[in-house]
Amino acid sequence: MRARQFFLIGLIAFAAAVTGVLVGRYFLPAPPQPAAELHAVLHEQLSLDADQEQRLEALEASFAVRRRALELEMRAENARLADAIAAEHGNGPRVAAAVDASHRTMGQLQKETLAHIFAMRALLKPEQAAKFDAAVTRALTEDPQ
């Protein structure tokens, strides 16, 4: 009887946590995304010439495809994590492996995002790059609240 009570309490706590996350995502406004701020700086504040705009659009299109692929992989890994949690009901080897896989993909997305930022920066003139650098620093250090 005792094990059954612990399992039920754990299940209720897990359901409450998931519900809290879902409610928070639905009712609380999302913080501004650093990518949106950088996009605004690039297109609205740096007075890019036509060649810069064209090369930037090509970079953004290419990166959008890669970013979407990595985001889909993270969703798939989250599903594998959910399956592992359902199977193990604890922090077992399948859960640990699923978490590690998810972290690898998140890390890959971060690395590719940085490579994209550096590629965009390479298109800029020195005075434009200084403004862009300031926006990158703000995006990485500002408290979103």
Side-chain angles (χ1 to χ4, degrees):
M1 180 83 169
R2 200 107 163 111
R4 187 173 167 199
Q5 288 175 331
F6 282 125
F7 177 73
L8 185 59
I9 290 170
L11 187 60
I12 291 170
F14 180 74
V18 169
T19 301
V21 169
L22 294 175
V23 168
R25 284 187 174 184
Y26 183 76
F27 288 108
L28 299 176
Q33 297 297 312
E37 180 183 350
L38 293 179
H39 187 270
V41 167
L42 280 167
H43 292 283
E44 298 168 13
Q45 298 177 19
L46 296 185
S47 302
L48 300 177
D49 62 35
D51 180 58
Q52 287 174 310
E53 286 281 357
Q54 183 179 19
R55 293 187 310 167
L56 180 62
E57 285 179 25
L59 282 175
E60 289 177 334
S62 175
F63 180 66
V65 170
R66 184 63 184 140
R67 183 185 65 231
R68 181 70 179 142
L70 288 166
E71 288 170 347
L72 288 172
E73 181 60 27
M74 285 190 300
R75 287 184 63 161
E77 287 167 352
N78 284 342
R80 287 189 287 274
L81 175 59
D83 289 343
I85 290 170
E88 294 182 331
H89 302 291
N91 196 13
R94 282 184 59 194
V95 170
V99 168
D100 289 343
S102 177
H103 286 177
R104 279 190 299 275
T105 303
M106 282 189 270
Q108 188 62 36
L109 177 58
Q110 187 173 33
K111 288 175 184 177
E112 292 190 29
T113 299
L114 287 172
H116 175 62
I117 287 170
F118 295 138
M120 290 188 299
R121 188 186 190 284
L123 300 176
L124 303 176
K125 297 172 184 155
E127 66 276 3
Q128 294 170 323
K131 290 178 184 177
F132 182 74
D133 292 347
V136 169
T137 299
R138 266 193 319 277
L140 292 173
T141 59
E142 275 188 353
D143 186 3
Q145 297 175 3

